[in-house]
């Protein structure tokens, strides 16, 4: 093998870095897919909750609906799905904010306590120095 | 394609315009990369990663199509698998642009990495919501 052909098969550093990133991305992809497959029954529950077609609920009555009414019902189904999802997302945000609020309250209480101790120490030092 | 499937795609485009159009763009880029190889992007031409460009194209194109099938069939799992593929393809593209073009790839790279992050976060959020709904159902 002559040096030229060795140079031809040698990858550039950029190519090597991108290959490493791609392999890592492939690993992430597999992890994500496994994660989704593990939750497939939960995702099916999401489909059931969000896509119960209103037209099915109306059954035979659906035949009597006009095209516009059917379109309105289908639109309502999609909006209902979005509403359920957004409600859940907001609920999660509220829970997270509440947890953060509790943490901050604890920190504030701790800092207030430290300020009180520092003030007492300053007072004692001033008394010792004859300033008070 | 049945009428409800078209309507669902239409509503998805109306209600989540950004996500749907970005997925469509990813699909187009994916097909471009599959056909053109590394010439699809200056960065990949510089790096000389024809195989990586085609891999990225395969991920973006298949991911985009699977996402649209998921929307049209109203099947969340399929849609999310598609989003994971789009996310991975965007990561490879974003990283490739930044590595290949350095500061000149800042704009396109950041946009692509943003698409990657957005898709991944949507998958995580929907999986988490689905889990909670499942628990409520049980």
């Amino acid at each position: 093998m002559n040096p030229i052909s060795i140079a031809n098969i040698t990858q550039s550093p950029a190519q090597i870095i991108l290959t490493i990133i791609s392999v890592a991305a492939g690993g992430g992809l597999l992890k994500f897919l496994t994660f989704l497959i593990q939750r497939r029954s939960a995702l099916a529950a999401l489909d059931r909750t969000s896509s119960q077609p209103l037209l099915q609920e109306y059954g035979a009555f659906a035949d009597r609906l006009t095209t516009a009414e059917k379109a309105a019902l289908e639109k309502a189904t999609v909006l209902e799905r979005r509403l359920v999802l957004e409600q859940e997302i907001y609920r999660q945000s509220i829970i997270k904010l509440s947890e953060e609020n509790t943490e901050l309250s604890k920190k504030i209480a701790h800092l207030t306590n430290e300020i009180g101790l520092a003030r007492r120490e300053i007072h004692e030092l001033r008394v010792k120095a004859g300033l008070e | 394609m049945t009428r409800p499937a078209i309507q669902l795609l239409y509503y998805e485009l109306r209600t989540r315009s950004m996500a749907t159009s970005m997925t469509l763009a990813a699909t187009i880029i994916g097909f471009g990369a599959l056909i053109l190889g590394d010439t699809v992007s200056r960065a990949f031409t510089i790096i000389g990663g024809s195989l990586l460009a085609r891999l990225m194209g395969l991920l973006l194109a298949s991911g985009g199509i699977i996402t649209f099938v998921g929307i049209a069939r109203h099947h969340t799992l399929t849609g999310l698998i598609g989003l994971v593929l789009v996310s991975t393809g965007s990561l490879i593209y974003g990283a490739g642009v930044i590595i290949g073009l350095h500061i000149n790839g800042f704009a396109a790279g950041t946009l692509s990495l943003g698409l990657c992050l957005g898709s991944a976060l949507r998958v995580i959020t929907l999986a988490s919501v689905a889990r909670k709904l499942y628990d409520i159902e049980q």
Side-chain angles (χ1 to χ4, degrees):
Chain A
M1 195 178 279
N2 61 46
I4 295 166
S5 61
I6 290 170
N8 283 342
I9 60 161
T10 305
Q11 290 185 317
S12 66
Q15 215 172 350
I16 293 166
I17 294 168
L18 191 57
T19 309
I20 292 168
I21 291 172
S22 303
V23 171
L29 171 79
L30 286 177
K31 268 198 168 182
F32 257 118
L33 289 179
T34 317
F35 169 73
L36 282 178
I37 288 164
Q38 277 172 352
R39 294 202 172 185
R40 64 184 182 278
S41 45
L43 289 164
L46 182 67
D47 285 337
R48 279 198 299 279
T49 316
S50 60
S51 65
Q52 279 175 343
L54 288 178
L55 286 173
Q56 273 180 20
E57 282 182 30
Y58 282 83
F61 177 67
D63 297 336
R64 290 183 230 158
L65 295 175
T66 62
T67 312
E69 285 167 339
K70 280 182 185 175
L73 279 173
E74 278 165 10
K75 190 176 179 180
T77 312
V78 176
L79 289 174
E80 187 196 24
R81 174 190 174 209
R82 278 181 57 79
L83 188 68
V84 170
L85 287 177
E86 281 176 10
Q87 270 179 338
E88 191 52 41
I89 290 164
Y90 283 130
R91 203 177 68 83
Q92 281 184 11
S93 304
I94 289 166
I95 290 168
K96 201 178 171 191
L97 282 172
S98 170
E99 282 168 0
E100 281 177 4
N101 188 30
T102 313
E103 282 296 310
L104 282 172
S105 299
K106 278 181 192 169
K107 278 185 187 169
I108 288 167
H110 179 71
L111 285 171
T112 312
N113 188 35
E114 279 192 355
I115 289 167
L117 289 173
R119 277 189 182 152
R120 192 187 295 171
E121 207 172 315
I122 290 165
H123 174 69
E124 281 169 8
L125 287 169
R126 285 175 73 90
V127 169
K128 267 188 190 172
L131 295 168
E132 284 185 22
Chain B
M1 208 183 289
T2 56
R3 195 165 164 269
I6 294 167
Q7 275 184 337
L8 273 173
L9 282 170
Y10 174 71
Y11 283 127
E12 202 73 9
L13 189 65
R14 288 280 303 274
T15 52
R16 294 199 299 123
S17 323
M18 180 73 185
T20 317
S21 47
M22 286 302 275
T23 311
L24 183 66
T27 314
I28 295 166
I29 295 170
F31 276 112
L34 268 177
I35 296 162
L36 300 169
D38 58 358
T39 46
V40 75
S41 163
R42 178 91 181 122
F44 281 88
T45 314
I46 292 168
I47 297 169
S50 184
L51 183 68
L52 282 172
R54 287 210 159 86
L55 175 72
M56 172 202 86
L58 183 68
L59 286 168
L60 288 176
S62 59
I65 288 171
I66 292 171
T67 306
F68 284 123
V69 169
I71 294 169
R73 288 191 162 192
H74 220 307
H75 195 242
T76 312
L77 178 64
T78 313
L80 292 189
I81 288 172
L83 272 186
V84 171
L85 294 173
V86 168
S87 179
T88 314
S90 305
L91 176 65
I92 295 174
Y93 177 64
V97 165
I98 290 172
I99 292 167
L101 299 176
H102 305 290
I103 198 70
N104 292 317
F106 177 73
T110 310
L111 265 176
S112 185
L113 292 177
L115 176 63
C116 162
L117 184 69
S119 309
L121 285 178
R122 178 155 176 81
V123 172
I124 293 168
T125 310
L126 272 185
S128 159
V129 169
R131 187 64 183 264
K132 285 188 187 302
L133 285 174
Y134 182 66
D135 290 345
I136 293 165
E137 258 195 16
Q138 292 305 302

